[in-house]
Amino acid sequence: MNQITTPQSDYSLEDFTLKDADGPAPLPCRPFFELLDDAAQTFADCPCLEFLGKRSTYRDIAALVNRAAKGFQMSGVRKGVRVGLFLPNTPYFVICYFAILKAGGTVVSFNPLYTERELKQQIDDSGVETMVTLDLADLYAKLAQTGLKRIIVCSMAAILPFPKNWLFPIVKRNELATIPRDDRTTLFHALIANDGHPDPVVIDAMEDVAVLQYTGGATGMPKGVLLTHANLCANTEQFFLWFPEIQPGQERILGVLPLFHVFAMTAVMNLGIRLGAEIILLPRFNLDEVMQAIHRKKPTLFPAVPPLYTAINLHKNLRKFTLSSIRICFSGGAPLPIQVKRRFEASTGCTLVEGYGLSEASPVVTINPLHGVDKPSSIGLPIFDTMIKIVSLDDSKRTLPAGMKGEICVRGPQVMTGYWNQPRGTAEALVDGWLHTGDVGYMDEEGYVFIVDRAKDLILIDGLTLYPRNIEEMIYLHPAVAECVVLGAPDEVQGQAVKVYVRVIDGQTMTQKELRIFLKDKLSPIEIPKIIEFRKELPRNLIGNLSRKDLLEEMKNTDAAPPAPPGDDPAGGR
């Protein structure tokens, strides 16, 4: 079993051990809504949220949380009741998230881009009867067709600064929903029309579920992950303690990642509040708006996913923006190609650290040290109070030594208690206190972890196992490649063949033959893609990462075509 081991140069083991005067200090274990209560006391007059030009202090947000919590209680929310958030990044998400917890309920986040089918499926599975949303037609119309007992509708205009707040209903009137006046519908301003003194709720932090977080469904149907108050407390503190350079009360964190996703929930919202930081919320992803937000609002911390860093690298007017305010960037949600990391750091002067996590671990498991040894392609070291072991893919009871590839298993206070209504899935994922991630990787002698691929993504050719991520890393070295995804395509002779989908940088061109020649001295002959398909766009998942799942589904639903010959078909960017 490997516990935290550290590089010899910049860190000692003591740097990764929580201590107080009497010995190791435990991570906090308490009702998670106290995180905001503490921030409101310490940073009362500091800005908490900035949304499209309107700022709210920690005092303001805490007061709204208390009033919303009382409103939820008056509407029947108590321990065990699950309440849904069907919201983009807005102050309402933060307010209602903490208010539901303070009322004793459990938060269930929904992707605002869900289709009606996906929405109904998650509502039915979670048992949510109350949902919070905006008064926008494209959101409310989806909910109106469901069997929800209560819909709480929030006014978009009310969270905008003057004069946007009174112009919005006029300019955007065609985008606003017609809200019925009935027993099913409650307006947010009616929900908070109370004295702001919710009834105290006794929370068992180790047992009571704070968040029912649905996975992305990359390997099948999304599963509801049960995260307790203690899980969230631990992971927020683990993340906070990893970066001693962060200055509470003085940071600004850019929130472009959707808060309904577990990475943004922790790396943007929860970390931001733990820091007493100003959280700059963007309601949607637009690259130019992101660049303008960095340029004008000067965030100091920037959590994002690899495709966003790629987009910034390739922005045609990159030099026109000042990005120097950003000191630390966190990358998660998908593998970070080393070329993307190096180019981003060279362009911005910001340190970009890659981490690894999954919904089942709240989600953060490993992070690279900010000033330690920078090992290419590593996902870092286990964070505080976290253990990692690598087990054999053939025998999960056999722990492998350093350097050998196997399944990554995690143990720590951030690991879920199980899956919602899935005892079999829980038993398969949690074995003797260890979370079996389904990801393949290895740990080196110094404790750094390297992820190779998901077990279900491995490519098998004539009995040999190939790792898509390794092939992708080599393809990214080509200067004309913007993005790529490698999959195993069906092959009648070898079982599978290496297939790559490539998006070329705008204004550049490439042929299949050129790419294969480029890879000749970087990959073995069996790893060089047999099928190369150029695309102007590649599908993305809900947080903007490239979607392997969509490409696999597309491949499954089309007749297997014979592999394209290594010809000279050119592909170019737009």
Side-chain angles (χ1 to χ4, degrees):
M1 181 186 305
N2 290 308
Q3 297 189 33
I4 299 173
T5 52
T6 58
Q8 301 299 313
S9 56
D10 294 87
Y11 285 82
S12 68
L13 187 58
E14 292 184 355
D15 293 318
F16 291 84
T17 305
L18 303 180
K19 291 184 177 181
D20 59 20
D22 300 317
L27 289 166
C29 179
R30 58 179 182 163
F32 191 64
F33 54 78
E34 291 181 4
L35 183 81
L36 180 60
D37 291 341
D38 288 352
Q41 285 190 347
T42 307
F43 309 106
D45 296 318
C46 296
C48 175
L49 302 178
E50 196 276 354
F51 182 72
L52 301 180
K54 184 174 182 177
R55 277 179 165 172
S56 304
T57 66
Y58 274 88
R59 190 195 311 275
D60 298 334
I61 296 301
L64 286 168
V65 166
N66 284 331
R67 291 166 64 188
K70 179 66 174 285
F72 279 123
Q73 288 179 336
M74 293 171 65
S75 68
V77 175
R78 59 191 183 280
K79 286 181 67 169
V81 172
R82 294 166 297 284
V83 181
L85 299 181
F86 192 53
L87 295 164
N89 284 8
T90 61
Y92 293 120
F93 191 103
V94 180
I95 293 164
C96 291
Y97 179 98
F98 282 94
I100 293 165
L101 298 184
K102 183 166 273 195
T106 296
V107 174
V108 186
S109 297
F110 290 74
N111 180 356
L113 299 179
Y114 271 166
T115 63
E116 290 182 11
R117 180 188 60 80
E118 292 170 319
L119 183 61
K120 184 179 184 303
Q121 184 179 67
Q122 188 169 315
I123 289 173
D124 290 345
D125 185 71
S126 64
V128 161
E129 295 182 345
T130 298
M131 189 82 77
V132 183
T133 194
L134 290 175
D135 60 351
L136 300 180
D138 60 344
L139 295 179
Y140 182 81
K142 295 177 185 178
L143 294 182
Q145 304 303 315
T146 66
L148 291 166
K149 290 185 177 180
R150 180 175 288 103
I151 302 175
I152 297 169
V153 182
C154 306
S155 167
M156 184 68 183
I159 53 174
L160 298 175
F162 179 82
K164 293 179 183 177
N165 57 346
W166 63 266
L167 285 174
F168 185 85
I170 301 171
V171 177
K172 300 290 186 179
R173 59 183 176 274
N174 292 333
E175 299 178 19
L176 292 174
T178 300
I179 308 300
R181 297 188 178 186
D182 54 29
D183 293 339
R184 187 190 188 201
T185 307
T186 301
L187 299 182
F188 182 77
H189 69 76
L191 181 79
I192 62 173
N194 57 65
D195 61 12
H197 296 294
D199 296 331
V201 179
V202 178
I203 297 292
D204 182 339
M206 294 294 292
E207 297 294 333
D208 289 339
V209 176
V211 172
L212 177 55
Q213 182 71 41
Y214 279 81
T215 64
T219 58
M221 294 297 293
K223 297 186 287 289
V225 174
L226 299 171
L227 300 177
T228 65
H229 288 258
N231 291 151
L232 300 184
C233 283
N235 206 225
T236 302
E237 196 70 9
Q238 288 168 320
F239 206 160
F240 167 74
L241 290 168
W242 195 260
F243 298 103
E245 301 83 0
I246 291 178
Q247 303 172 49
Q250 299 183 42
E251 306 289 355
R252 297 187 189 92
I253 188 163
L254 185 60
V256 62
L257 295 176
L259 296 179
F260 61 78
H261 189 271
V262 69
F263 178 34
M265 178 190 76
T266 294
V268 176
M269 182 175 69
N270 296 346
L271 176 65
I273 289 172
R274 173 63 179 86
L275 288 171
E278 179 178 359
I279 304 172
I280 302 164
L281 290 176
L282 297 182
R284 61 177 184 177
F285 170 72
N286 177 285
L287 181 58
D288 288 330
E289 290 174 4
V290 171
M291 302 295 281
Q292 288 290 349
I294 299 173
H295 181 74
R296 295 176 178 175
K297 298 178 182 179
K298 311 283 184 212
T300 58
L301 309 176
F302 182 30
V305 292
L308 183 46
Y309 295 120
T310 298
I312 291 174
N313 285 343
L314 300 177
H315 195 284
K316 59 183 178 182
N317 295 319
L318 178 61
R319 294 185 179 182
K320 293 183 179 179
F321 297 95
T322 301
L323 310 181
S324 58
S325 66
I326 304 174
R327 304 194 331 274
I328 305 173
C329 292
F330 322 123
S331 179
L336 175 68
I338 188 63
Q339 290 302 110
V340 173
K341 169 181 164 66
R342 288 172 175 166
R343 185 168 179 176
F344 181 84
E345 291 181 333
S347 299
T348 65
C350 171
T351 301
L352 174 55
V353 294
E354 182 177 9
Y356 162 74
L358 61 166
S359 300
E360 290 87 342
S362 303
V364 186
V365 172
T366 66
I367 313 176
N368 273 286
L370 194 61
H371 301 299
V373 176
D374 184 8
K375 296 194 176 187
S377 300
S378 170
I379 55 172
L381 296 159
I383 57 177
F384 300 103
D385 276 13
T386 300
M387 293 185 290
I388 286 183
K389 67 177 180 179
I390 310 297
V391 302
S392 169
L393 295 175
D394 299 321
D395 179 7
S396 63
K397 294 182 179 179
R398 183 163 64 93
T399 300
L400 301 177
M404 290 193 67
K405 297 171 184 174
E407 183 181 12
I408 298 172
C409 297
V410 179
R411 189 170 192 165
Q414 72 271 47
V415 171
M416 68 172 184
T417 60
Y419 294 118
W420 170 251
N421 285 339
Q422 292 200 31
R424 181 176 176 181
T426 298
E428 292 173 350
L430 294 174
V431 181
D432 296 329
W434 288 92
L435 171 64
H436 287 248
T437 67
D439 291 319
V440 179
Y442 65 94
M443 183 182 288
D444 70 11
E445 294 286 352
E446 295 176 310
Y448 280 82
V449 182
F450 296 78
I451 191 167
V452 179
D453 258 307
R454 285 199 62 82
K456 293 187 177 182
D457 292 338
L458 302 183
I459 301 172
L460 300 176
I461 298 179
D462 288 340
L464 297 177
T465 300
L466 306 185
Y467 300 96
R469 184 178 181 182
N470 179 60
I471 300 171
E472 289 168 356
E473 288 280 3
M474 296 302 103
I475 294 172
Y476 270 110
L477 293 174
H478 194 291
V481 172
E483 294 176 313
C484 67
V485 177
V486 169
L487 302 174
D491 185 280
E492 292 183 359
V493 178
Q494 297 177 304
Q496 285 186 304
V498 177
K499 179 174 183 177
V500 61
Y501 297 86
V502 179
R503 182 172 75 84
V504 176
I505 292 174
D506 292 354
Q508 300 199 34
T509 60
M510 184 195 301
T511 66
Q512 292 182 8
K513 183 177 181 179
E514 287 171 350
L515 181 57
R516 290 193 177 96
I517 291 173
F518 176 80
L519 296 173
K520 192 171 182 179
D521 63 348
K522 299 171 180 65
L523 296 170
S524 66
I526 199 170
E527 291 177 305
I528 293 177
K530 190 174 184 180
I531 310 168
I532 299 173
E533 184 172 327
F534 295 104
R535 294 277 185 96
K536 290 191 175 181
E537 295 291 342
L538 294 173
R540 301 182 184 279
N541 62 18
L542 54 85
I543 60 168
N545 282 322
L546 298 176
S547 178
R548 188 180 304 271
K549 177 184 176 183
D550 286 349
L551 289 170
L552 284 168
E553 194 67 27
E554 178 185 319
M555 188 188 303
K556 187 190 305 182
N557 292 332
T558 57
D559 293 330
D568 288 324
D569 59 315
R574 291 163 293 174

